[in-house]
């Protein structure tokens, strides 16, 4: 029996007390006392991953605090999951992050977070606050064998709270199997305290507590000294920003296009190494597209923030309009894999670019951060057709694409 199958069977039978290693760096802070005037939990939890074997649950907090997750499969009993690392349980100021064991597909999962504030005076004087518990939330793990699936795509929200509120309301109405947040959640990232509301709880909204979130990193999400802390606030598999998963008939690739300028641009001060990252992704891509679960999917989608092509209108375009370097690195493998569409953002200009002699894969690009130009992309796939509807926030259909299986 494969180890993954064994773990899934074990979890389905009963989690027991599961300790999962979670490589969270301790928050470097001079403060050792939690602010008792603030509520412990900030907004709602976020379910991220999104495959059943690579899920994480994150909860923004006003710490310092520690806690654990309680999780139940279906109507089963709650079981405790600890975020243990190097023999220590969390002591965090901004976010508690729990990496889940492999879960069975197509299962209802109930969960809640139990935590308390911590006052760390010295090594032998540590005070605990009162226990606080989030309300029970429910989500369903993805089902690779399902006949159909539904998903939502956001992109380029850039901390625009008005736009995010509208997107959240539309997503709640649609009730997707998973949600793709396709890059540029932020303008730049300098402060771990602020990252709680940039990535996990903007305006305190319930962004992704009820369905898994697939997160793609945008070029603005790599800017600023706190960009290196991003894995602490996101739940991607193995803390990588490229991964793949399947939901029903859809096989999804999520890849990281990095910055929108060459690594040697003076503005990066020698701190950019995205060429190496793109090469690693090419090697990874060559293997993942040979997986049977991927090859058997009727639909194959690439989600990435920066488009691989841009509209040829006869004008000279700067490098930022599209990621030519990513295209050069990945296109032969994407064609070999039979990828049918690329879904991107970045340009703040909703566009549909059907495939052509010069562009072998169709490309759909979402809009920008202001509500007047923002879009939401709805995806519905069954055994016959994948339908993608790119809509303005008032419901107008800007582009509708139908892809046969």
């Amino acid at each position: 029996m494969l180890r993954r199958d064994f773990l899934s069977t074990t979890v389905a039978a009963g989690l027991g007390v599961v300790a999962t290693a979670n490589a969270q760096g301790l928050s470097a802070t001079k403060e050792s006392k939690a602010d008792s005037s603030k509520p412990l939990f900030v907004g709602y939890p976020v379910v991220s991953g999104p495959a059943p074997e690579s899920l994480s649950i994150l909860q923004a907090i006003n710490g310092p605090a520690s806690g654990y997750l309680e999780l139940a499969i279906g109507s089963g009993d709650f079981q405790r999951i600890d975020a243990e690392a190097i023999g220590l349980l969390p002591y965090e100021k901004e976010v508690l992050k729990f990496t889940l064991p492999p879960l069975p597909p197509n299962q209802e999962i109930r969960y809640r977070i139990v935590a308390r504030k911590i006052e760390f005076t010295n090594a032998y004087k540590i005070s605990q606050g009162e226990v606080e518990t989030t309300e029970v939330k429910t989500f369903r793990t993805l089902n690779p064998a399902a006949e159909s699936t539904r998903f939502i795509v956001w992109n380029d929200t850039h901390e625009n709270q008005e736009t995010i509120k509208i997107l959240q309301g539309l997503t709640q109405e649609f009730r997707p199997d998973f949600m793709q947040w396709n890059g540029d959640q932020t303008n730049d990232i300098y402060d771990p305290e602020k990252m709680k509301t940039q990535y996990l709880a903007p305006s305190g909204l319930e962004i992704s507590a009820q369905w898994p979130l697939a997160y793609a990193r945008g070029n603005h999400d790599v800017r600023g000294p706190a960009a290196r802390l991003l894995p602490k606030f996101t739940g991607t598999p193995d803390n990588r920003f490229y991964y793949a998963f399947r939901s029903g008939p859809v096989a999804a690739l999520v890849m990281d296009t990095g910055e929108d300028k060459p690594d040697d641009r003076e503005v990066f001060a020698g701190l950019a190494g995205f060429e190496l990252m793109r090469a690693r992704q090419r090697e990874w891509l060559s293997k993942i597209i040979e997986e049977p679960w991927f090859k058997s999917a009727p639909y194959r989608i690439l989600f990435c923030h920066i488009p691989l092509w841009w509209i040829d209108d006869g004008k000279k375009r700067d490098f930022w309009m599209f990621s030519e370097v990513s295209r050069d690195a990945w296109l032969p493998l994407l064609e070999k894999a039979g990828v049918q569409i690329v879904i991107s953002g970045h340009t703040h200009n909703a566009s549909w670019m059907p495939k052509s002699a010069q562009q072998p894969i169709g490309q759909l690009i979402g809009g920008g951060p202001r509500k007047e130009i923002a879009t939401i992309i709805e995806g519905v796939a069954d055994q016959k057709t994948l339908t993608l509807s790119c809509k303005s926030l008032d419901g107008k259909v800007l582009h509708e694409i139908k892809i046969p299986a």
Side-chain angles (χ1 to χ4, degrees), residues 276-326:
L276 295 171
M277 183 193 70
R278 293 186 190 96
R280 281 198 304 275
Q281 290 183 81
R282 181 176 60 236
E283 180 66 23
W284 166 84
L285 182 61
S286 70
K287 295 179 174 64
I288 205 72
I289 63 175
E290 298 298 334
E291 292 285 339
W293 64 264
F294 185 91
K295 296 178 75 170
S296 63
Y299 312 103
R300 300 155 200 186
I301 301 174
L302 169 63
F303 296 101
C304 60
H305 177 66
I306 302 178
L308 303 189
W309 296 272
W310 186 234
I311 297 167
D312 183 6
D313 57 4
K315 297 180 181 178
K316 184 178 180 180
R317 295 294 184 183
D318 192 12
F319 187 89
W320 70 270
M321 271 302 197
F322 63 95
S323 187
E324 185 176 8
V325 286
S326 296

Side-chain angles (χ1 to χ4, degrees), residues 32 39 212 402:
S32 61
K402 291 184 179 292

Side-chain angles (χ1 to χ4, degrees), residues 26 47 65 75 98 101 141 143 146 155 196 241 248 280 284 355 373 378:
L26 291 177
V47 179
S75 59
F98 305 94
T141 53
N143 182 11
N155 65 275
K196 295 186 297 190
F241 297 110
R280 281 198 304 275
W284 166 84
K355 67 178 182 178
I373 59 172
E378 299 173 354

Side-chain angles (χ1 to χ4, degrees), residues 88-362:
L88 295 170
L89 296 179
Y91 174 68
E92 295 290 347
K93 184 182 176 186
E94 297 93 12
V95 59
L96 294 171
K97 178 178 178 180
F98 305 94
T99 302
L100 307 186
L103 297 171
N106 194 33
Q107 288 290 316
E108 182 180 84
I109 306 296
R110 295 178 293 122
Y111 69 96
R112 62 193 176 199
I113 294 152
V114 181
R116 63 175 83 199
K117 294 180 179 179
I118 300 292
E119 186 175 318
F120 208 124
T121 304
N122 58 50
Y124 287 96
K125 188 177 181 182
I126 307 171
S127 302
Q128 298 178 326
E130 295 295 320
V131 171
E132 301 183 46
T133 306
T134 64
E135 62 180 298
V136 175
K137 288 291 179 183
T138 303
F139 72 94
R140 182 168 291 275
T141 53
L142 297 184
N143 182 11
E147 292 290 307
S148 62
T149 192
R150 296 159 59 86
F151 60 91
I152 283 288
V153 185
W154 301 5
N155 65 275
D156 293 275
T157 45
H158 284 283
E159 306 175 55
N160 188 307
Q161 303 303 305
E162 184 179 19
T163 294
I164 291 172
K165 286 179 182 178
I166 299 172
L167 286 169
Q168 191 263 351
L170 294 172
T171 303
Q172 291 281 346
E173 292 175 11
F174 189 79
R175 300 201 64 79
D177 295 316
F178 70 91
M179 172 184 147
Q180 175 76 40
W181 205 348
N182 214 14
D184 277 7
Q185 285 84 342
T186 61
N187 296 312
D188 44 42
I189 42 181
Y190 282 79
D191 182 6
E193 180 69 21
K194 186 181 177 186
M195 290 172 77
K196 295 186 297 190
T197 53
Q198 288 175 307
Y199 290 94
L200 297 174
S203 296
L205 295 170
E206 187 176 354
I207 297 297
S208 192
Q210 297 174 292
W211 37 75
L213 170 67
Y215 167 72
R217 188 169 66 162
N219 58 297
H220 279 264
D221 303 315
V222 305
R223 295 178 181 176
R228 290 148 186 82
L229 300 177
L230 191 54
K232 182 176 174 179
F233 294 85
T234 53
T236 56
D238 299 321
N239 289 327
R240 289 183 285 105
F241 297 110
Y242 54 94
Y243 51 96
F245 63 94
R246 181 159 170 176
S247 182
V250 170
L253 297 168
V254 180
M255 298 187 73
D256 189 346
T257 45
E259 259 292 4
D260 62 358
K261 303 172 186 67
D263 288 352
D264 59 2
R265 280 283 175 93
E266 187 176 343
V267 294
F268 297 142
L271 296 179
F274 297 105
E275 184 177 349
L276 295 171
M277 183 193 70
R278 293 186 190 96
R280 281 198 304 275
Q281 290 183 81
R282 181 176 60 236
E283 180 66 23
W284 166 84
L285 182 61
S286 70
K287 295 179 174 64
I288 205 72
I289 63 175
E290 298 298 334
E291 292 285 339
W293 64 264
F294 185 91
K295 296 178 75 170
S296 63
Y299 312 103
R300 300 155 200 186
I301 301 174
L302 169 63
F303 296 101
C304 60
H305 177 66
I306 302 178
L308 303 189
W309 296 272
W310 186 234
I311 297 167
D312 183 6
D313 57 4
K315 297 180 181 178
K316 184 178 180 180
R317 295 294 184 183
D318 192 12
F319 187 89
W320 70 270
M321 271 302 197
F322 63 95
S323 187
E324 185 176 8
V325 286
S326 296
R327 185 181 73 195
D328 290 346
W330 307 335
L331 183 57
L333 288 169
L334 296 175
E335 289 187 273
K336 178 183 177 182
V339 169
Q340 293 135 305
I341 190 166
V342 178
I343 300 180
S344 299
H346 185 63
T347 66
H348 299 184
N349 184 354
S351 306
W352 164 237
M353 300 173 62
K355 67 178 182 178
S356 65
Q358 294 75 35
Q359 179 194 313
I361 304 173

